[in-house]
Amino acid sequence: MTPSERAGYPRPRMSRLGLNVIVASYVMIVLNTGFWHRLVNLFEGQPLVWGCFAAGTWMLTLLLLELFGPGPLQKILVAAVAHYYESAFGVLIDDEMVRNVFETTVGESRHLITADAVLRIGLTGVLPAALVFWPRIARRPLWHQVWRWPAGIA
């Protein structure tokens, strides 16, 4: 029995797929507001088209979470950082932006790490990433994973 269970707060049990559905939904709905604004503006007056595009993007996010294993923690943190800089500075994170991050100096980076950045990334990234560890994940036998992966891709 864990300390939280002794205190009367039992940890919920869920499947890895259930956790990945929650993480994919959080990342797509909360941490991608810039994406949603661009999508709605791009397909203005065509709600069926952007709805299908959004559903497909969510399914691809879920598929990536399922295929690349227990990494929702990193995905939440990266999405939270990208969301902050996109909303604060209006920048779109692309391959050129990532290259600039690696080529920046310490002096330039000090101007980007502010109290607001730490607070917002902490609330939208670190806190939800820590909550990923709260539920107990029900492990499936290996044979179940062997048939489930090809079925999920198909």
Side-chain angles (χ1 to χ4, degrees):
M1 185 175 276
T2 65
S4 64
E5 290 171 334
R6 282 190 294 259
Y9 303 108
R11 291 172 57 192
R13 277 185 81 75
M14 64 179 13
S15 68
R16 187 173 133 199
L17 176 63
L19 179 65
N20 285 337
V21 165
I22 292 169
V23 170
S25 299
Y26 176 73
V27 167
M28 290 304 298
I29 294 169
V30 176
L31 299 179
N32 277 311
T33 53
F35 168 77
W36 295 118
H37 290 296
R38 287 184 183 92
L39 183 69
V40 169
N41 289 337
L42 184 65
F43 296 117
E44 190 173 349
Q46 301 173 357
L48 183 62
V49 173
W50 68 259
C52 290
F53 190 82
T57 306
W58 179 84
M59 285 187 247
L60 283 173
T61 304
L62 179 62
L63 178 66
L64 288 174
L65 285 169
E66 279 289 305
L67 289 180
F68 293 119
L73 174 74
Q74 298 93 346
K75 291 163 187 74
I76 291 172
L77 291 174
V78 168
V81 171
H83 172 69
Y84 170 74
Y85 285 108
E86 182 180 4
S87 63
F89 299 111
V91 296
L92 182 62
I93 307 296
D94 59 0
D95 58 343
E96 184 68 28
M97 197 65 177
V98 172
R99 188 175 305 115
N100 289 340
V101 167
F102 287 110
E103 294 174 353
T104 191
T105 65
V106 175
E108 292 173 335
S109 64
R110 283 188 183 142
H111 297 291
L112 297 175
I113 301 173
T114 62
D116 184 48
V118 171
L119 177 68
R120 287 185 46 196
I121 292 169
L123 290 176
T124 61
V126 176
L127 182 62
L131 288 175
V132 166
F133 293 107
W134 183 43
R136 290 181 181 214
I137 304 301
R139 303 288 179 206
R140 303 284 183 214
L142 180 62
W143 63 268
H144 182 79
Q145 295 295 332
V146 169
W147 72 264
R148 188 170 149 222
W149 280 5
I153 293 172

